Protein backbone atom coordinates (compact mmCIF):
# COMPACT_ATOMS: atom_id res chain seq x y z
CA UNK A 1 0.00 0.00 0.00
CA UNK A 2 1.46 3.40 -0.93
CA UNK A 3 2.58 5.57 1.94
CA UNK A 4 0.94 8.68 0.47
CA UNK A 5 -1.92 9.42 -1.91
CA UNK A 6 0.55 11.00 -4.38
CA UNK A 7 4.10 10.30 -5.45
CA UNK A 8 7.02 12.35 -4.19
CA UNK A 9 7.23 14.41 -7.37
CA UNK A 10 3.78 15.87 -6.79
CA UNK A 11 4.61 16.95 -3.23
CA UNK A 12 7.88 18.49 -4.46
CA UNK A 13 5.90 20.43 -7.08
CA UNK A 14 3.45 21.65 -4.44
CA UNK A 15 6.34 22.74 -2.24
CA UNK A 16 7.87 24.65 -5.14
CA UNK A 17 4.55 26.39 -5.82
CA UNK A 18 4.26 27.26 -2.13
CA UNK A 19 7.71 28.82 -2.12
CA UNK A 20 6.67 30.93 -5.09
CA UNK A 21 3.69 32.26 -3.14
CA UNK A 22 6.00 32.89 -0.18
CA UNK A 23 8.40 34.88 -2.34
CA UNK A 24 5.53 36.96 -3.72
CA UNK A 25 4.41 37.70 -0.15
CA UNK A 26 7.98 38.45 0.98
CA UNK A 27 7.98 35.54 3.45
CA UNK A 28 11.10 33.54 4.26
CA UNK A 29 9.34 31.03 6.51
CA UNK A 30 5.78 29.68 6.49
CA UNK A 31 3.99 27.89 9.34
CA UNK A 32 0.88 26.01 8.20
CA UNK A 33 -1.65 24.77 10.75
CA UNK A 34 -4.87 24.17 8.78
CA UNK A 35 -5.31 20.36 8.49
CA UNK A 36 -6.07 20.38 4.76
CA UNK A 37 -2.98 22.48 4.06
CA UNK A 38 -0.83 20.19 6.19
CA UNK A 39 -2.09 17.26 4.11
CA UNK A 40 -1.53 19.13 0.85
CA UNK A 41 2.14 19.87 1.62
CA UNK A 42 3.11 16.60 3.31
CA UNK A 43 0.50 13.88 2.84
CA UNK A 44 -0.22 13.89 6.57
CA UNK A 45 -3.75 12.56 7.00
CA UNK A 46 -4.95 12.20 10.56
CA UNK A 47 -7.67 13.71 12.71
CA UNK A 48 -5.77 15.94 15.10
CA UNK A 49 -8.26 18.79 15.19
CA UNK A 50 -8.41 19.20 19.01
CA UNK A 51 -4.64 19.57 19.19
CA UNK A 52 -1.95 21.60 17.49
CA UNK A 53 0.20 20.52 14.56
CA UNK A 54 2.26 22.40 11.99
CA UNK A 55 4.05 22.15 8.68
CA UNK A 56 7.05 24.49 8.46
CA UNK A 57 8.35 25.53 5.04
CA UNK A 58 11.63 27.37 4.43
CA UNK A 59 12.91 28.21 0.93
CA UNK A 60 16.30 26.51 1.32
CA UNK A 61 14.96 23.09 2.43
CA UNK A 62 13.89 20.39 -0.03
CA UNK A 63 11.31 19.01 2.40
CA UNK A 64 9.04 20.67 4.97
CA UNK A 65 9.20 20.00 8.69
CA UNK A 66 6.28 18.34 10.47
CA UNK A 67 5.73 19.28 14.13
CA UNK A 68 3.07 17.74 16.36
CA UNK A 69 2.31 15.52 19.34
CA UNK A 70 5.11 13.02 19.77
CA UNK A 71 3.36 9.94 21.12
CA UNK A 72 -0.09 10.37 19.57
CA UNK A 73 0.15 12.07 16.16
CA UNK A 74 3.75 11.52 15.11
CA UNK A 75 3.28 7.78 14.38
CA UNK A 76 0.48 8.66 11.94
CA UNK A 77 2.62 11.38 10.40
CA UNK A 78 5.46 8.92 9.80
CA UNK A 79 3.03 6.52 8.12
CA UNK A 80 1.31 9.03 5.86
CA UNK A 81 3.83 11.77 4.98
CA UNK A 82 6.40 11.76 2.17
CA UNK A 83 9.35 13.30 4.05
CA UNK A 84 12.39 11.55 5.47
CA UNK A 85 12.46 10.49 9.12
CA UNK A 86 14.59 13.45 10.20
CA UNK A 87 11.87 15.91 9.12
CA UNK A 88 9.53 15.01 11.99
CA UNK A 89 9.63 16.73 15.36
CA UNK A 90 7.38 15.67 18.23
CA UNK A 91 6.47 17.72 21.27
CA UNK A 92 5.54 16.07 24.61
CA UNK A 93 1.91 15.47 25.51
CA UNK A 94 2.14 18.04 28.30
CA UNK A 95 2.49 20.89 25.76
CA UNK A 96 -1.16 21.71 25.19
CA UNK A 97 -1.70 25.43 25.54
CA UNK A 98 -5.31 26.45 25.78
CA UNK A 99 -6.43 23.00 26.95
CA UNK A 100 -8.04 22.49 30.34
CA UNK A 101 -6.78 18.90 30.33
CA UNK A 102 -3.18 19.89 30.92
CA UNK A 103 -1.61 22.01 33.64
CA UNK A 104 0.97 24.04 31.75
CA UNK A 105 3.29 26.92 32.50
CA UNK A 106 4.98 29.44 30.24
CA UNK A 107 7.96 27.13 29.68
CA UNK A 108 5.88 24.09 28.77
CA UNK A 109 3.58 25.06 25.88
CA UNK A 110 3.30 24.32 22.21
CA UNK A 111 4.25 27.93 21.50
CA UNK A 112 7.46 27.72 23.50
CA UNK A 113 8.35 24.39 21.89
CA UNK A 114 7.73 25.79 18.40
CA UNK A 115 9.70 28.96 19.16
CA UNK A 116 12.64 26.88 20.41
CA UNK A 117 12.61 24.78 17.24
CA UNK A 118 12.80 27.92 15.10
CA UNK A 119 15.51 29.50 17.27
CA UNK A 120 17.65 26.35 17.29
CA UNK A 121 17.72 26.49 13.48
CA UNK A 122 18.59 30.18 13.36
CA UNK A 123 15.18 31.20 12.05
CA UNK A 124 14.15 33.42 14.97
CA UNK A 125 14.69 36.68 13.06
CA UNK A 126 12.88 35.78 9.87
CA UNK A 127 9.75 37.23 8.31
CA UNK A 128 7.32 34.44 9.19
CA UNK A 129 3.91 33.80 7.70
CA UNK A 130 1.54 32.00 10.06
CA UNK A 131 -1.95 30.61 9.54
CA UNK A 132 -3.93 31.71 12.58
CA UNK A 133 -7.60 31.74 11.53
CA UNK A 134 -8.04 28.01 12.06
CA UNK A 135 -10.17 25.94 14.39
CA UNK A 136 -7.02 24.58 16.04
CA UNK A 137 -5.24 27.67 17.32
CA UNK A 138 -6.17 29.79 20.33
CA UNK A 139 -7.05 33.39 19.50
CA UNK A 140 -3.84 34.85 20.94
CA UNK A 141 -1.45 32.33 19.40
CA UNK A 142 0.18 34.87 17.07
CA UNK A 143 0.87 37.23 19.96
CA UNK A 144 2.30 34.44 22.08
CA UNK A 145 4.75 33.49 19.34
CA UNK A 146 5.68 37.14 18.86
CA UNK A 147 6.46 37.45 22.58
CA UNK A 148 8.71 34.39 22.38
CA UNK A 149 10.42 35.55 19.16
CA UNK A 150 10.68 39.34 19.59
CA UNK A 151 13.10 39.71 16.66
CA UNK A 152 10.84 37.91 14.19
CA UNK A 153 8.39 39.68 11.90
CA UNK A 154 5.12 37.75 12.06
CA UNK A 155 2.56 38.05 9.27
CA UNK A 156 -0.86 36.43 9.05
CA UNK A 157 -0.81 34.10 6.05
CA UNK A 158 -4.42 32.90 6.07
CA UNK A 159 -5.78 32.27 2.59
CA UNK A 160 -2.42 31.27 1.12
CA UNK A 161 -3.31 27.58 1.29
CA UNK A 162 -6.65 28.08 -0.42
CA UNK A 163 -4.96 29.89 -3.29
CA UNK A 164 -2.32 27.17 -3.56
CA UNK A 165 -4.86 24.39 -3.80
CA UNK A 166 -7.40 25.88 -6.20
CA UNK A 167 -5.75 24.49 -9.38
CA UNK A 168 -5.79 20.69 -9.33
CA UNK A 169 -3.25 18.29 -10.73
CA UNK A 170 -4.35 15.44 -12.99
CA UNK A 171 -4.00 12.99 -10.09
CA UNK A 172 -6.19 15.20 -7.92
CA UNK A 173 -8.76 15.33 -10.72
CA UNK A 174 -8.71 11.52 -10.82
CA UNK A 175 -9.58 11.34 -7.10
CA UNK A 176 -12.32 13.94 -7.56
CA UNK A 177 -13.81 11.88 -10.39
CA UNK A 178 -13.82 8.85 -8.08
CA UNK A 179 -15.60 10.96 -5.47
CA UNK A 180 -18.10 11.87 -8.19
CA UNK A 181 -18.86 8.21 -8.82
CA UNK A 182 -19.34 7.59 -5.10
CA UNK A 183 -21.59 10.58 -4.51
CA UNK A 184 -23.88 9.74 -7.43
CA UNK A 185 -24.26 6.16 -6.20
CA UNK A 186 -24.97 7.40 -2.70
CA UNK A 187 -27.60 9.82 -4.00
CA UNK A 188 -29.33 6.98 -5.83
CA UNK A 189 -29.36 4.95 -2.59
CA UNK A 190 -30.68 7.89 -0.57
CA UNK A 191 -33.44 8.69 -3.04
CA UNK A 192 -34.49 5.04 -3.19
CA UNK A 193 -35.05 5.10 0.59
CA UNK A 194 -37.47 8.03 0.49
CA UNK A 195 -41.14 7.13 0.62
CA UNK A 196 -44.20 8.19 2.52
CA UNK A 197 -43.92 6.71 6.03
CA UNK A 198 -40.17 5.97 5.83
CA UNK A 199 -37.95 7.74 8.37
CA UNK A 200 -35.66 10.60 7.47
CA UNK A 201 -32.84 9.20 9.64
CA UNK A 202 -32.86 5.95 7.67
CA UNK A 203 -32.19 7.91 4.49
CA UNK A 204 -29.23 9.61 6.21
CA UNK A 205 -27.89 6.25 7.41
CA UNK A 206 -28.16 4.74 3.93
CA UNK A 207 -26.37 7.73 2.40
CA UNK A 208 -23.51 7.61 4.92
CA UNK A 209 -23.03 3.89 4.38
CA UNK A 210 -22.90 4.32 0.60
CA UNK A 211 -20.54 7.30 0.77
CA UNK A 212 -18.04 5.47 2.96
CA UNK A 213 -18.20 2.02 1.34
CA UNK A 214 -17.88 3.56 -2.12
CA UNK A 215 -17.31 1.03 -4.90
CA UNK A 216 -15.48 -2.32 -5.06
CA UNK A 217 -12.47 -0.41 -6.43
CA UNK A 218 -12.28 2.50 -3.95
CA UNK A 219 -13.87 3.66 -0.72
CA UNK A 220 -14.48 6.97 0.99
CA UNK A 221 -13.32 8.94 3.99
CA UNK A 222 -15.59 10.90 6.33
CA UNK A 223 -18.38 12.34 4.16
CA UNK A 224 -20.81 15.20 4.72
CA UNK A 225 -24.59 15.29 4.47
CA UNK A 226 -26.97 18.23 4.59
CA UNK A 227 -30.59 17.17 4.59
CA UNK A 228 -33.79 19.19 5.10
CA UNK A 229 -37.41 18.04 4.87
CA UNK A 230 -40.83 19.66 4.93
CA UNK A 231 -41.23 22.83 6.96
CA UNK A 232 -37.50 22.70 7.80
CA UNK A 233 -36.67 23.23 4.12
CA UNK A 234 -35.82 26.94 4.28
CA UNK A 235 -33.40 26.32 7.18
CA UNK A 236 -30.22 25.68 5.23
CA UNK A 237 -27.76 23.25 6.85
CA UNK A 238 -30.31 21.85 9.25
CA UNK A 239 -30.34 18.09 9.72
CA UNK A 240 -32.71 15.19 9.43
CA UNK A 241 -34.98 13.97 12.21
CA UNK A 242 -36.47 10.57 13.01
CA UNK A 243 -39.86 11.71 11.68
CA UNK A 244 -41.47 9.93 8.73
CA UNK A 245 -41.85 11.49 5.31
CA UNK A 246 -45.34 12.80 4.66
CA UNK A 247 -47.33 13.16 1.47
CA UNK A 248 -46.68 16.46 -0.25
CA UNK A 249 -43.36 17.19 1.49
CA UNK A 250 -40.21 18.33 -0.26
CA UNK A 251 -36.79 17.02 0.79
CA UNK A 252 -33.42 18.46 -0.21
CA UNK A 253 -30.34 16.24 0.04
CA UNK A 254 -26.81 17.57 -0.37
CA UNK A 255 -24.17 14.82 -0.30
CA UNK A 256 -20.40 15.22 -0.32
CA UNK A 257 -18.24 12.18 -1.10
CA UNK A 258 -14.68 12.26 0.20
CA UNK A 259 -12.01 10.33 -1.68
CA UNK A 260 -8.64 10.72 0.10
CA UNK A 261 -9.59 14.27 1.06
CA UNK A 262 -10.97 15.21 -2.38
CA UNK A 263 -14.67 15.92 -2.69
CA UNK A 264 -17.47 15.90 -5.17
CA UNK A 265 -21.01 16.97 -4.31
CA UNK A 266 -24.52 16.47 -5.59
CA UNK A 267 -27.73 18.11 -4.39
CA UNK A 268 -31.21 17.00 -5.37
CA UNK A 269 -34.73 17.99 -4.37
CA UNK A 270 -37.26 15.19 -3.90
CA UNK A 271 -41.02 15.52 -3.81
CA UNK A 272 -42.96 12.92 -1.82
CA UNK A 273 -45.94 12.63 -4.10
CA UNK A 274 -46.90 14.94 -6.96
CA UNK A 275 -45.42 18.44 -6.53
CA UNK A 276 -47.41 21.60 -7.04
CA UNK A 277 -47.29 23.26 -10.44
CA UNK A 278 -45.40 26.15 -8.83
CA UNK A 279 -42.62 23.87 -7.53
CA UNK A 280 -42.34 22.00 -10.83
CA UNK A 281 -42.15 25.24 -12.82
CA UNK A 282 -39.66 26.81 -10.41
CA UNK A 283 -37.35 23.79 -10.69
CA UNK A 284 -37.47 23.93 -14.48
CA UNK A 285 -36.42 27.58 -14.35
CA UNK A 286 -33.53 26.82 -11.98
CA UNK A 287 -32.27 23.95 -14.12
CA UNK A 288 -32.35 26.05 -17.30
CA UNK A 289 -30.49 28.91 -15.60
CA UNK A 290 -27.88 26.52 -14.21
CA UNK A 291 -27.27 25.03 -17.63
CA UNK A 292 -27.04 28.44 -19.30
CA UNK A 293 -24.51 29.77 -16.78
CA UNK A 294 -22.40 26.64 -16.28
CA UNK A 295 -21.97 25.99 -20.01
CA UNK A 296 -20.28 29.39 -20.34
CA UNK A 297 -17.58 28.73 -17.74
CA UNK A 298 -14.23 29.20 -19.48
CA UNK A 299 -10.67 30.10 -18.47
CA UNK A 300 -10.22 33.86 -18.43
CA UNK A 301 -13.67 34.90 -17.23
CA UNK A 302 -14.43 35.50 -13.56
CA UNK A 303 -16.51 33.65 -11.01
CA UNK A 304 -18.49 36.86 -10.60
CA UNK A 305 -19.40 36.96 -14.28
CA UNK A 306 -20.82 33.43 -14.17
CA UNK A 307 -22.77 34.33 -11.04
CA UNK A 308 -24.22 37.30 -12.91
CA UNK A 309 -25.14 35.05 -15.85
CA UNK A 310 -27.21 32.85 -13.56
CA UNK A 311 -28.97 35.81 -11.96
CA UNK A 312 -29.73 37.30 -15.37
CA UNK A 313 -31.24 34.01 -16.53
CA UNK A 314 -33.35 33.55 -13.40
CA UNK A 315 -34.55 37.17 -13.41
CA UNK A 316 -36.07 36.75 -16.89
CA UNK A 317 -38.72 34.62 -15.18
CA UNK A 318 -39.29 37.12 -12.39
CA UNK A 319 -37.38 35.20 -9.72
CA UNK A 320 -34.45 36.08 -7.50
CA UNK A 321 -31.80 33.77 -6.01
CA UNK A 322 -29.38 34.35 -3.14
CA UNK A 323 -26.19 36.11 -4.38
CA UNK A 324 -23.84 33.12 -4.23
CA UNK A 325 -24.79 30.24 -6.53
CA UNK A 326 -21.64 28.12 -6.09
CA UNK A 327 -17.98 28.14 -5.15
CA UNK A 328 -14.58 26.68 -5.90
CA UNK A 329 -13.96 23.28 -4.33
CA UNK A 330 -10.80 23.27 -2.24
CA UNK A 331 -11.51 19.94 -0.59
CA UNK A 332 -11.35 18.77 3.00
CA UNK A 333 -13.51 20.73 5.41
CA UNK A 334 -12.44 24.16 4.31
CA UNK A 335 -15.48 26.47 4.47
CA UNK A 336 -13.55 29.60 3.55
CA UNK A 337 -13.79 29.08 -0.19
CA UNK A 338 -11.21 30.59 -2.51
CA UNK A 339 -13.87 31.93 -4.89
CA UNK A 340 -17.64 32.31 -5.11
CA UNK A 341 -20.01 32.24 -8.07
CA UNK A 342 -21.41 35.57 -6.98
CA UNK A 343 -21.55 39.01 -8.63
CA UNK A 344 -18.40 40.95 -7.85
CA UNK A 345 -16.00 38.04 -7.26
CA UNK A 346 -12.98 38.78 -9.45
CA UNK A 347 -11.25 35.38 -9.20
CA UNK A 348 -10.49 34.24 -12.76
CA UNK A 349 -11.26 30.69 -13.86
CA UNK A 350 -8.27 28.58 -14.86
CA UNK A 351 -8.05 25.01 -16.16
CA UNK A 352 -8.57 22.39 -13.46
CA UNK A 353 -10.52 24.59 -11.10
CA UNK A 354 -13.26 22.46 -9.52
CA UNK A 355 -16.60 24.21 -9.05
CA UNK A 356 -19.68 23.23 -7.07
CA UNK A 357 -22.60 25.05 -8.68
CA UNK A 358 -25.53 25.08 -6.24
CA UNK A 359 -28.22 27.71 -6.60
CA UNK A 360 -30.84 27.59 -3.86
CA UNK A 361 -34.34 29.02 -4.22
CA UNK A 362 -36.32 29.37 -1.04
CA UNK A 363 -39.20 31.18 0.56
CA UNK A 364 -37.93 32.90 3.67
CA UNK A 365 -39.83 31.56 6.70
CA UNK A 366 -42.01 29.59 4.34
CA UNK A 367 -42.51 25.90 3.71
CA UNK A 368 -40.48 25.23 0.59
CA UNK A 369 -36.95 25.34 -0.71
CA UNK A 370 -35.45 23.96 -3.89
CA UNK A 371 -31.84 23.19 -4.65
CA UNK A 372 -29.90 21.41 -7.33
CA UNK A 373 -26.15 21.09 -7.83
CA UNK A 374 -23.37 19.78 -10.01
CA UNK A 375 -19.61 19.43 -9.57
CA UNK A 376 -17.70 20.77 -12.59
CA UNK A 377 -14.10 20.85 -13.80
CA UNK A 378 -12.88 23.84 -15.81
CA UNK A 379 -11.23 22.71 -19.06
CA UNK A 380 -8.53 24.27 -21.22
CA UNK A 381 -11.14 24.99 -23.89
CA UNK A 382 -14.84 24.41 -24.24
CA UNK A 383 -17.54 23.73 -21.70
CA UNK A 384 -16.62 22.33 -18.27
CA UNK A 385 -16.42 18.62 -17.56
CA UNK A 386 -19.38 17.26 -15.60
CA UNK A 387 -17.73 15.46 -12.67
CA UNK A 388 -21.22 14.53 -11.50
CA UNK A 389 -23.20 13.57 -14.56
CA UNK A 390 -26.59 12.62 -13.08
CA UNK A 391 -29.23 14.79 -14.77
CA UNK A 392 -30.48 17.80 -12.87
CA UNK A 393 -34.16 17.22 -12.23
CA UNK A 394 -36.80 17.28 -9.56
CA UNK A 395 -37.18 13.72 -8.25
CA UNK A 396 -40.79 12.63 -7.69
CA UNK A 397 -41.47 9.66 -5.37
CA UNK A 398 -45.07 8.59 -5.79
Amino acid sequence: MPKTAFDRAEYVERLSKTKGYMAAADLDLLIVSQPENMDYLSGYANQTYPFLGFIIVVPEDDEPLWLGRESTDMPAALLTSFMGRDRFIGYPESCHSGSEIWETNSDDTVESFLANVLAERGWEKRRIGLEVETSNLPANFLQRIQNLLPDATLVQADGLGRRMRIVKSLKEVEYIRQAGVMVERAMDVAIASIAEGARQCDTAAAAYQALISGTPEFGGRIPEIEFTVGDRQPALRSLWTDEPYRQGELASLELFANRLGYKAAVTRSVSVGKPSDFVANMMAVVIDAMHEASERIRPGITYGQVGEMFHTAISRHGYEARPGVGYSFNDWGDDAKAAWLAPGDDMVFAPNHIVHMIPIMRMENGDWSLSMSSTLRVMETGAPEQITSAPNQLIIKA
Side-chain angles (χ1 to χ4, degrees):
M1 179 178 179
K3 182 181 179 183
T4 59
F6 302 91
D7 60 26
R8 179 183 175 84
E10 177 133 355
Y11 290 107
V12 170
E13 173 62 26
R14 293 175 181 182
L15 196 61
S16 175
K17 184 164 62 172
T18 301
K19 291 175 181 178
Y21 279 108
M22 290 171 61
D26 194 25
L27 299 176
D28 47 24
L29 190 145
L30 176 67
I31 301 175
V32 169
S33 58
Q34 191 75 7
E36 55 266 27
N37 293 336
M38 293 178 67
D39 184 359
Y40 183 79
L41 292 174
S42 70
Y44 174 61
N46 196 34
Q47 294 194 76
T48 60
Y49 307 121
F51 301 101
L52 306 185
F54 307 93
I55 293 293
I56 302 170
V57 179
V58 292
E60 64 267 30
D61 285 0
D62 294 332
E63 296 179 343
L65 285 174
W66 179 95
L67 189 150
R69 288 185 297 171
E70 183 175 34
S71 62
T72 308
D73 297 328
M74 191 166 164
L78 290 167
L79 286 172
T80 60
S81 305
F82 84 97
M83 300 90 74
R85 177 66 177 78
D86 63 339
R87 305 302 293 175
F88 297 86
I89 304 171
Y91 61 76
E93 293 288 326
S94 58
C95 289
H96 289 302
S97 60
S99 171
E100 296 178 358
I101 300 174
W102 304 97
E103 294 293 334
T104 64
N105 57 59
S106 59
D107 297 322
D108 190 22
T109 65
V110 174
E111 294 96 318
S112 60
F113 190 94
L114 173 60
N116 287 335
V117 166
L118 300 183
E120 287 169 0
R121 285 161 174 75
W123 300 336
E124 72 278 11
K125 296 182 180 181
R126 294 200 172 193
R127 181 176 168 86
I128 299 171
L130 177 64
E131 288 185 331
V132 294
E133 294 179 358
T134 77
S135 57
N136 297 30
L137 299 185
N140 60 352
F141 191 85
L142 184 68
Q143 186 58 55
R144 292 182 187 181
I145 293 293
Q146 185 69 81
N147 293 341
L148 291 162
L149 298 174
D151 295 326
T153 300
L154 297 187
V155 179
Q156 282 194 228
D158 297 292
L160 190 99
R162 293 192 293 274
R163 293 193 296 273
M164 287 189 301
R165 299 189 339 260
I166 191 169
V167 176
K168 308 303 182 190
S169 70
L170 293 181
K171 188 65 176 179
E172 288 176 302
V173 170
E174 179 184 336
Y175 289 143
I176 293 166
R177 286 181 179 140
Q178 291 173 355
V181 171
M182 292 193 296
V183 78
E184 288 191 334
R185 292 189 178 196
M187 183 60 77
D188 288 343
V189 168
I191 290 170
S193 75
I194 295 176
E196 184 178 4
R199 297 190 307 169
Q200 299 173 28
C201 55
D202 291 331
T203 295
Y208 270 118
Q209 195 277 335
L211 288 166
I212 294 172
S213 64
T215 75
E217 293 77 28
F218 45 81
R221 284 186 184 170
I222 300 172
E224 298 174 48
I225 295 178
E226 295 178 12
F227 182 11
T228 57
V229 181
D231 59 7
R232 298 166 65 91
Q233 277 274 295
L236 298 181
R237 302 187 184 280
S238 62
L239 298 175
W240 58 89
T241 71
D242 58 3
E243 292 294 310
Y245 298 101
R246 297 176 176 86
Q247 186 68 207
E249 284 186 327
L250 286 170
S252 289
L253 291 85
E254 184 175 5
L255 308 182
F256 296 78
N258 181 334
R259 172 63 177 153
L260 298 174
Y262 291 86
K263 293 180 182 176
V266 168
T267 306
R268 292 292 180 266
S269 289
V270 181
S271 176
V272 181
K274 187 178 184 298
S276 68
D277 290 343
F278 171 81
V279 166
N281 291 337
M282 172 69 82
M283 183 56 75
V285 169
V286 172
I287 292 169
D288 286 347
M290 278 185 67
H291 179 76
E292 181 176 330
S294 65
E295 286 295 300
R296 296 172 70 180
I297 291 175
R298 298 289 190 279
I301 68 171
T302 68
Y303 279 70
Q305 286 174 313
V306 171
E308 289 168 359
M309 291 172 193
F310 177 87
H311 286 285
T312 298
I314 207 84
S315 67
R316 288 199 296 266
H317 300 272
Y319 297 123
E320 183 178 342
R322 65 175 183 168
V325 295
Y327 49 84
S328 64
F329 241 151
N330 264 355
D331 315 308
W332 280 82
D334 190 2
D335 266 344
K337 312 301 179 187
W340 288 91
L341 294 171
D345 193 310
D346 60 3
M347 173 68 79
V348 176
F349 285 105
N352 291 330
H353 280 203
I354 304 296
V355 178
H356 185 208
M357 190 167 195
I358 176 170
I360 296 174
M361 309 294 292
R362 63 177 179 173
M363 178 182 289
E364 302 291 343
N365 303 314
D367 61 357
W368 65 268
S369 176
L370 296 171
S371 58
M372 193 69 53
S373 81
S374 296
T375 301
L376 312 168
R377 172 195 174 198
V378 182
M379 306 300 289
E380 293 276 356
T381 59
E385 174 187 351
Q386 298 280 337
I387 296 290
T388 52
S389 57
N392 285 315
Q393 60 185 16
L394 176 64
I395 309 298
I396 301 173
K397 296 298 293 287

